[in-house]
Amino acid sequence: MIEAKSIGKFFSVVNEKGLAEGLTAVLNVSLTIPDGKIVSLLGPSGCGKSTFLEILAGLQAPTDGTIHIDGKLVLEPLPATRKEQIAYRRRYRFISPLANGVFRDRPKHDIAMIFQDYAVFPWMTALQNVVFALKLRNADRRGGTALKKREIEEKSLYYLHKVGLAASAHKYPSQLSGGMRQRLALARALSVEPKIILMDEPFAAVDALTREKLQDELLRLWYETSETGNPITIILVTHDVQEAVYLSDEVAVFSPSPGTIRNRMPVEVRRPRARTDAELVEIHERILAMFQYDINQESDYSI
Ligand SMILES: Nc1ncnc2c1ncn2[C@@H]1O[C@H](COP(=O)(O)OP(=O)(O)OP(=O)(O)O)[C@@H](O)[C@H]1O
Ligand SMILES: [Mg+2]
């Protein structure tokens, strides 16, 4: 269970006159997400969705409020001692989200994150990218469950196959299209089989058809984990109302900056769902009406 309580985030910024200014990116956001649910965060550009997601992941500290995952406080990823800090920098310079294990009191929240710019390493092939993530995760699991080299490679190929990238395993990100890079980021996040996946607009760069295919693939993977009795929790930031409604158990609609949750819309339609389901369409329209209302109130923002 993820519990965000009264989360606020305030940034100090320097304006064009060189003066310090404050900006409230997230204001008083409380959200409780039970295990195994799919929740979408929907809202206009700049309303603090990515910031909130990074706070959930423990990558940024909130200025107000707390996040607990399974009763454990999520801390900003600062190593406690100087020695740990040096080791941390040396080892995890590039991929802090997967490096939960070395954090201050080792909270070990089992989270994978897909960033908005789907940070994959350009100097590694698709396969090496996934292998690297698995190796990092493996290093965390010293002892018992560590995978062998061959198993890591097999698993990496398995997840590349799942996102339709098996044939591109040996290509570098620069040789992939934007959508393929996004799928690679998805494969990398899935490969570590986390309990929670945080996704920041994971399907933004793919065409409509591929997008629908990936949404269904994500749901299929989610089903698979729920059949084992341990369903993965997915939190998804998106601009796509239809995607949010189709995928989610609940849609949290953010208001324009400063971002705060203006409505929580449960989507209680049984899965598998039809995209054209009347109830889904109705929720979709209600959300669009909310945005329309915001646009009428404040004419200078776009979703
Ligand atoms: N490190 C930072 N320093 C100062 N301001 C920041 C910082 N990070 C984000 N912001 C500001 O906080 C606000 C929210 O940003 P955020 O990236 O969370 O928005 P978003 O909802 O993800 O937008 P988008 O949908 O365009 O991705 C923006 O006004 C942004 O300029
Ligand atoms: Mg964002």
Short mmCIF file of all heavy atoms in Angstrom, two decimals, residues 238-260:
data_model
loop_
_atom_site.label_atom_id
_atom_site.label_comp_id
_atom_site.label_asym_id
_atom_site.label_seq_id
_atom_site.Cartn_x
_atom_site.Cartn_y
_atom_site.Cartn_z
N THR A 238 -0.19 10.33 -17.36
CA THR A 238 -0.52 10.41 -18.78
C THR A 238 -1.30 11.69 -19.08
O THR A 238 -1.89 12.29 -18.19
CB THR A 238 -1.33 9.17 -19.22
OG1 THR A 238 -1.67 9.29 -20.59
CG2 THR A 238 -2.59 8.98 -18.41
N HIS A 239 -1.26 12.07 -20.35
CA HIS A 239 -2.09 13.19 -20.80
C HIS A 239 -3.32 12.67 -21.53
O HIS A 239 -4.16 13.44 -21.97
CB HIS A 239 -1.32 14.08 -21.78
CG HIS A 239 -0.37 14.99 -21.10
ND1 HIS A 239 0.61 15.66 -21.77
CD2 HIS A 239 -0.25 15.35 -19.82
CE1 HIS A 239 1.31 16.38 -20.93
NE2 HIS A 239 0.81 16.22 -19.74
N ASP A 240 -3.33 11.36 -21.72
CA ASP A 240 -4.33 10.76 -22.58
C ASP A 240 -5.50 10.27 -21.72
O ASP A 240 -5.38 9.28 -21.00
CB ASP A 240 -3.66 9.61 -23.33
CG ASP A 240 -4.58 8.96 -24.34
OD1 ASP A 240 -5.81 8.98 -24.12
OD2 ASP A 240 -4.07 8.42 -25.32
N VAL A 241 -6.62 10.98 -21.81
CA VAL A 241 -7.76 10.66 -20.94
C VAL A 241 -8.25 9.24 -21.20
O VAL A 241 -8.52 8.48 -20.27
CB VAL A 241 -8.92 11.66 -21.16
CG1 VAL A 241 -10.06 11.37 -20.21
CG2 VAL A 241 -8.43 13.10 -20.97
N GLN A 242 -8.30 8.87 -22.48
CA GLN A 242 -8.80 7.54 -22.81
C GLN A 242 -7.90 6.44 -22.23
O GLN A 242 -8.38 5.45 -21.68
CB GLN A 242 -8.88 7.40 -24.33
CG GLN A 242 -9.82 6.29 -24.71
CD GLN A 242 -9.77 5.98 -26.19
OE1 GLN A 242 -8.93 6.48 -26.93
NE2 GLN A 242 -10.67 5.14 -26.61
N GLU A 243 -6.60 6.68 -22.34
CA GLU A 243 -5.63 5.72 -21.79
C GLU A 243 -5.83 5.58 -20.28
O GLU A 243 -5.87 4.48 -19.74
CB GLU A 243 -4.21 6.22 -22.10
CG GLU A 243 -3.12 5.40 -21.48
CD GLU A 243 -1.76 5.82 -22.03
OE1 GLU A 243 -1.44 5.39 -23.15
OE2 GLU A 243 -1.04 6.59 -21.38
N ALA A 244 -5.97 6.71 -19.62
CA ALA A 244 -6.14 6.70 -18.17
C ALA A 244 -7.39 5.90 -17.78
O ALA A 244 -7.35 5.04 -16.90
CB ALA A 244 -6.23 8.13 -17.64
N VAL A 245 -8.47 6.17 -18.46
CA VAL A 245 -9.74 5.54 -18.10
C VAL A 245 -9.70 4.04 -18.43
O VAL A 245 -10.13 3.20 -17.64
CB VAL A 245 -10.91 6.23 -18.83
CG1 VAL A 245 -12.21 5.51 -18.60
CG2 VAL A 245 -11.02 7.68 -18.37
N TYR A 246 -9.14 3.71 -19.58
CA TYR A 246 -9.11 2.32 -20.02
C TYR A 246 -8.26 1.45 -19.08
O TYR A 246 -8.62 0.32 -18.74
CB TYR A 246 -8.57 2.25 -21.44
CG TYR A 246 -8.41 0.85 -21.98
CD1 TYR A 246 -9.53 0.03 -22.18
CD2 TYR A 246 -7.16 0.34 -22.29
CE1 TYR A 246 -9.38 -1.27 -22.66
CE2 TYR A 246 -7.00 -0.95 -22.79
CZ TYR A 246 -8.12 -1.75 -22.96
OH TYR A 246 -7.98 -3.03 -23.45
N LEU A 247 -7.13 2.01 -18.64
CA LEU A 247 -6.19 1.19 -17.87
C LEU A 247 -6.49 1.13 -16.37
O LEU A 247 -6.18 0.15 -15.72
CB LEU A 247 -4.76 1.73 -18.03
CG LEU A 247 -4.10 1.59 -19.40
CD1 LEU A 247 -2.72 2.24 -19.36
CD2 LEU A 247 -3.96 0.11 -19.78
N SER A 248 -7.11 2.18 -15.84
CA SER A 248 -6.99 2.38 -14.39
C SER A 248 -8.15 1.87 -13.56
O SER A 248 -9.27 1.73 -14.03
CB SER A 248 -6.86 3.88 -14.11
OG SER A 248 -5.92 4.45 -14.95
N ASP A 249 -7.84 1.63 -12.28
CA ASP A 249 -8.88 1.41 -11.28
C ASP A 249 -9.34 2.75 -10.73
O ASP A 249 -10.42 2.87 -10.18
CB ASP A 249 -8.32 0.59 -10.11
CG ASP A 249 -7.94 -0.80 -10.57
OD1 ASP A 249 -8.84 -1.55 -10.96
OD2 ASP A 249 -6.73 -1.13 -10.57
N GLU A 250 -8.46 3.73 -10.85
CA GLU A 250 -8.81 5.06 -10.38
C GLU A 250 -8.01 6.11 -11.15
O GLU A 250 -6.84 5.89 -11.46
CB GLU A 250 -8.48 5.18 -8.88
CG GLU A 250 -8.76 6.56 -8.36
CD GLU A 250 -8.62 6.68 -6.84
OE1 GLU A 250 -8.55 5.66 -6.14
OE2 GLU A 250 -8.56 7.82 -6.38
N VAL A 251 -8.65 7.21 -11.47
CA VAL A 251 -7.95 8.30 -12.15
C VAL A 251 -7.92 9.49 -11.19
O VAL A 251 -8.97 9.94 -10.71
CB VAL A 251 -8.67 8.72 -13.45
CG1 VAL A 251 -7.91 9.84 -14.16
CG2 VAL A 251 -8.83 7.52 -14.39
N ALA A 252 -6.71 9.96 -10.88
CA ALA A 252 -6.60 11.16 -10.04
C ALA A 252 -6.38 12.34 -10.98
O ALA A 252 -5.38 12.40 -11.70
CB ALA A 252 -5.42 11.02 -9.08
N VAL A 253 -7.34 13.24 -10.99
CA VAL A 253 -7.26 14.38 -11.91
C VAL A 253 -6.65 15.56 -11.17
O VAL A 253 -7.15 16.00 -10.12
CB VAL A 253 -8.66 14.75 -12.44
CG1 VAL A 253 -8.56 15.86 -13.48
CG2 VAL A 253 -9.36 13.54 -13.05
N PHE A 254 -5.54 16.06 -11.71
CA PHE A 254 -4.85 17.21 -11.10
C PHE A 254 -5.40 18.51 -11.67
O PHE A 254 -5.78 18.58 -12.83
CB PHE A 254 -3.35 17.14 -11.39
CG PHE A 254 -2.60 16.24 -10.44
CD1 PHE A 254 -2.82 14.88 -10.44
CD2 PHE A 254 -1.65 16.76 -9.57
CE1 PHE A 254 -2.14 14.05 -9.57
CE2 PHE A 254 -0.95 15.94 -8.70
CZ PHE A 254 -1.19 14.58 -8.70
N SER A 255 -5.35 19.52 -10.82
CA SER A 255 -5.73 20.85 -11.30
C SER A 255 -4.48 21.52 -11.85
O SER A 255 -3.36 21.10 -11.57
CB SER A 255 -6.26 21.66 -10.13
OG SER A 255 -5.24 21.78 -9.18
N PRO A 256 -4.64 22.59 -12.63
CA PRO A 256 -3.46 23.32 -13.11
C PRO A 256 -2.65 23.86 -11.94
O PRO A 256 -3.16 23.95 -10.83
CB PRO A 256 -4.06 24.47 -13.92
CG PRO A 256 -5.49 24.18 -14.08
CD PRO A 256 -5.89 23.16 -13.09
N SER A 257 -1.42 24.22 -12.25
CA SER A 257 -0.44 24.63 -11.25
C SER A 257 -1.02 25.61 -10.22
O SER A 257 -1.72 26.54 -10.59
CB SER A 257 0.72 25.29 -12.01
OG SER A 257 1.68 25.67 -11.11
N PRO A 258 -0.75 25.47 -8.92
CA PRO A 258 0.00 24.39 -8.31
C PRO A 258 -0.81 23.10 -8.25
O PRO A 258 -2.00 23.13 -7.94
CB PRO A 258 0.25 24.92 -6.89
CG PRO A 258 -0.85 25.85 -6.61
CD PRO A 258 -1.22 26.45 -7.93
N GLY A 259 -0.12 22.03 -8.60
CA GLY A 259 -0.81 20.76 -8.76
C GLY A 259 -1.41 20.23 -7.48
O GLY A 259 -0.73 20.03 -6.48
N THR A 260 -2.68 20.02 -7.54
CA THR A 260 -3.35 19.38 -6.42
C THR A 260 -4.43 18.49 -7.01
O THR A 260 -4.88 18.72 -8.14
CB THR A 260 -3.89 20.46 -5.45
OG1 THR A 260 -4.42 19.80 -4.32
CG2 THR A 260 -4.96 21.33 -6.08
#
